[in-house]
């Protein structure tokens, strides 16, 4: 009998130890959960919160003390945190607006589930911050809007030309057909260049583009860039002038890529500058960096747009982008190139007062 009792005690002790191990594992998993986990009693007051909840709501545990779980969210969404409603409904994620301790808000996806604890019903709420998801969706919509416009226009032109050739419209006028063919070829080239830019910026930001660094003079960079955009400047009757000392200033750079940066900045200024205006390329230097600037007298850029203009697929606004054309990749590519050269890039602007785009490169004394 004693032996049986000892065996039973040993089994009970082993079961208790196993239960404690299991409890510790559950607590570890809850603490490591990358979601907010909140538990409320039948009265709706928060009884427990995991560590990630503190991160989401930017608070400490005292923020949840005696607070109803529904009051952690915007008023229009509080009814979804009813225990009775949670019992009646299927467990489906809901998107709501959560309120941090500092009163700022963020979009959140919540899963609300009732459960029983010691015969008392309770509410379990999982909270996920979906701000990043919203930003990705917004960028996707803007990207589709911009790219669809850039694709539709040249493709429609190409389609119309091919249909015209097939219908025999140019049979008696081959010279006109040649002119239309040249224009159509330009449209096709623009499409190819756009696709190349999309691939280009991915490789640049991943640091996968091979660059050949050599000693390059600022004069060579400036002259090369101005030459590339000169025809566009003449078409808009815009004068490009150079200001500052740059003949004896040298940098360690990949000349082709840095010329492309300056071409992008000049093209951007030409695109938004009114006709018969002037654009100035300026240089400044100190004992560490050379600063190249493109100063225009265009419409200027708001402070809000300045913060995002170097992001992918961004320009001053979608409306302006549709009017002026472009995918919003030029400045993103420029930023990636300059960063690989250990430099910086930015813009200074005020609405109605023009813009100064600039970038810096480490300089050499030769």
């Amino acid at each position: 009998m004693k032996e049986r009792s000892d065996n039973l005690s040993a089994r009970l002790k082993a079961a208790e130890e196993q239960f404690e191990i299991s409890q510790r594992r559950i607590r570890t998993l809850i603490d490591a959960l990358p979601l907010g986990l909140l538990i409320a009693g039948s009265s709706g007051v928060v009884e427990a919160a995991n560590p990630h909840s503190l991160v989401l709501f930017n608070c400490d545990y005292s923020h949840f003390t005696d607070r109803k779980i529904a009051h952690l969210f915007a008023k229009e969404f509080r009814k979804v945190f009813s225990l009775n409603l949670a019992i009646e409904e299927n467990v489906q994620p809901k998107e709501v607006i959560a309120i941090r301790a500092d009163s700022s808000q963020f979009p959140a996806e919540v899963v609300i589930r009732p459960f029983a604890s010691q015969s008392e019903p309770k509410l379990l709420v999982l909270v996920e911050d979906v701000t990043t998801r919203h930003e990705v969706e917004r960028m996707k919509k803007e990207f589709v809007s911009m790219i669809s416009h850039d694709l539709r226009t040249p493709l429609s032109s190409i389609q119309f030309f091919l249909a015209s050739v097939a219908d025999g419209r140019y049979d008696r006028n081959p010279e006109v057909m040649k002119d239309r063919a040249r224009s159509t070829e330009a449209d096709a080239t623009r499409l190819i260049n756009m696709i190349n830019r999309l691939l280009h910026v991915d490789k640049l930001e991943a640091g996968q583009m091979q660059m050949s660094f050599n000693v390059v003079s600022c004069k060579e960079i400036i002259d090369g860039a101005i030459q590339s955009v000169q025809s566009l400047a003449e078409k808009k009757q815009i004068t490009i002038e150079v200001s500052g000392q740059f003949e004896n200033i040298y940098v360690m750079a990949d000349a082709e890529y840095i010329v492309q940066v300056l071409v992008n900045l000049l093209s951007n200024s030409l695109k938004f500058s009114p006709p018969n205006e002037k654009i100035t390329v300026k240089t400044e230097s100190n004992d560490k960096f050379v600063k190249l600037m493109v100063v225009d007298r265009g419409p200027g850029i708001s402070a809000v747009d300045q913060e995002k203009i170097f992001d992918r697929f961004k320009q001053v606004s979608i409306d302006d982008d549709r009017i002026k054309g472009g995918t919003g990749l030029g400045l993103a590519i420029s930023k990636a190139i300059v960063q690989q050269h250990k430099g910086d890039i930015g813009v200074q602007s005020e609405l109605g007062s023009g813009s100064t785009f600039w970038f810096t490169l480490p300089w050499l004394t030769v």
Side-chain angles (χ1 to χ4, degrees):
M1 179 71 84
K2 184 177 183 302
E3 183 178 350
R4 181 180 298 178
S5 176
D6 289 344
N7 287 338
L8 181 60
S9 297
R11 288 165 62 187
L12 286 172
K13 184 178 180 181
E16 289 176 354
E17 290 176 351
Q18 189 62 38
F19 179 75
E20 289 180 4
I21 292 172
S22 177
Q23 290 289 90
R24 286 198 296 270
R25 286 175 178 171
I26 291 173
R27 281 195 292 271
T28 299
L29 287 172
I30 291 174
D31 288 347
L33 192 67
L35 302 171
L37 187 152
L38 301 166
I39 295 175
S42 57
S43 64
V45 175
V46 177
E47 295 182 352
N50 72 333
H52 195 71
S53 296
L54 307 184
V55 176
L56 288 179
F57 290 92
N58 191 26
C59 65
D60 53 31
Y61 285 110
S62 65
H63 179 68
F64 300 120
T65 305
D66 298 326
R67 183 183 291 270
K68 287 196 172 184
I69 195 166
H71 292 173
L72 297 171
F73 302 88
K75 287 182 180 180
E76 61 267 31
F77 300 102
R78 290 178 182 175
K79 62 182 181 181
V80 304
F81 296 93
S82 162
L83 181 61
N84 293 332
L85 187 63
I87 293 172
E88 293 173 4
E89 290 188 349
N90 293 328
V91 181
Q92 295 292 337
K94 298 178 175 65
E95 189 160 311
V96 298
I97 299 297
I99 304 173
R100 299 187 183 92
D102 60 3
S103 298
S104 62
Q105 300 181 348
F106 65 93
E109 186 174 88
V110 296
V111 174
I112 304 168
R113 184 167 186 172
F115 70 99
S117 175
Q118 297 178 347
S119 74
E120 179 191 9
K122 293 183 183 293
L123 201 63
L124 172 69
V125 179
L126 292 173
V127 186
E128 180 184 5
D129 186 344
V130 293
T131 301
T132 302
R133 185 192 304 172
H134 279 209
E135 178 65 15
V136 169
E137 288 298 321
R138 183 188 62 77
M139 290 176 64
K140 187 190 299 182
K141 288 179 181 177
E142 290 188 2
F143 170 74
V144 170
S145 176
M146 292 178 185
I147 296 302
S148 62
H149 173 267
D150 282 351
L151 288 174
R152 188 179 292 114
T153 302
L155 282 175
S156 297
S157 175
I158 293 169
Q159 182 186 39
F160 177 78
F161 172 73
L162 293 176
S164 298
V165 172
D167 291 342
R169 184 173 300 182
Y170 303 115
D171 287 354
R172 296 182 180 180
N173 202 336
E175 291 303 318
V176 173
M177 183 176 68
K178 288 179 182 179
D179 289 340
R180 297 290 186 272
R182 293 188 189 97
S183 177
T184 302
E185 183 186 20
D187 286 332
T189 300
R190 186 154 64 89
L191 283 174
I192 293 170
N193 289 339
M194 184 183 69
I195 294 168
N196 286 338
R197 285 196 296 271
L198 285 167
L199 299 174
H200 200 63
V201 71
D202 274 331
K203 290 183 179 180
L204 278 167
E205 290 181 347
Q208 295 175 349
M209 296 299 293
Q210 296 296 320
M211 294 191 178
S212 177
F213 290 87
N214 294 288
V215 176
V216 185
S217 72
C218 283
K219 185 179 187 306
E220 177 184 342
I221 294 170
I222 294 170
D223 289 347
I226 292 176
Q227 184 178 355
S228 294
V229 299
Q230 192 62 50
S231 59
L232 178 59
E234 291 174 357
K235 184 177 180 180
K236 292 194 67 174
Q237 297 181 321
I238 292 175
T239 302
I240 301 176
E241 63 178 27
V242 181
S243 173
Q245 181 67 29
F246 59 89
E247 284 83 358
N248 297 317
I249 297 179
Y250 297 82
V251 293
M252 182 65 73
D254 185 308
E256 183 177 344
Y257 277 110
I258 291 301
V259 168
Q260 181 183 348
V261 171
L262 191 53
V263 166
N264 285 342
L265 300 189
L266 285 168
S267 297
N268 192 71
S269 290
L270 286 166
K271 190 184 299 182
F272 292 97
S273 292
N276 303 307
E277 265 295 353
K278 181 172 64 176
I279 292 174
T280 305
V281 179
K282 299 173 64 176
T283 59
E284 292 179 0
S285 62
N286 56 28
D287 57 348
K288 292 183 179 179
F289 290 96
V290 177
K291 187 174 186 179
L292 285 85
M293 295 166 282
V294 175
V295 184
D296 66 49
R297 293 156 183 80
I301 304 166
S302 69
V304 173
D305 284 326
Q306 288 179 45
E307 295 178 0
K308 59 187 180 181
I309 198 169
F310 290 95
D311 295 340
R312 294 190 194 190
F313 315 118
K314 294 290 184 181
Q315 288 197 358
V316 174
S317 71
I318 293 179
D319 289 338
D320 284 341
D321 185 67
R322 288 173 177 170
I323 294 168
K324 303 295 183 179
T327 59
L329 285 172
L331 294 179
I333 291 172
S334 298
K335 180 180 178 180
I337 292 172
V338 171
Q339 286 179 339
Q340 286 205 31
H341 281 75
K342 310 301 182 185
D344 200 3
I345 190 168
V347 61
Q348 294 173 318
S349 183
E350 290 183 11
L351 285 175
S353 300
S355 304
T356 299
F357 284 87
W358 57 267
F359 66 96
T360 61
L361 297 170
W363 82 305
L364 300 173
T365 53
V366 178

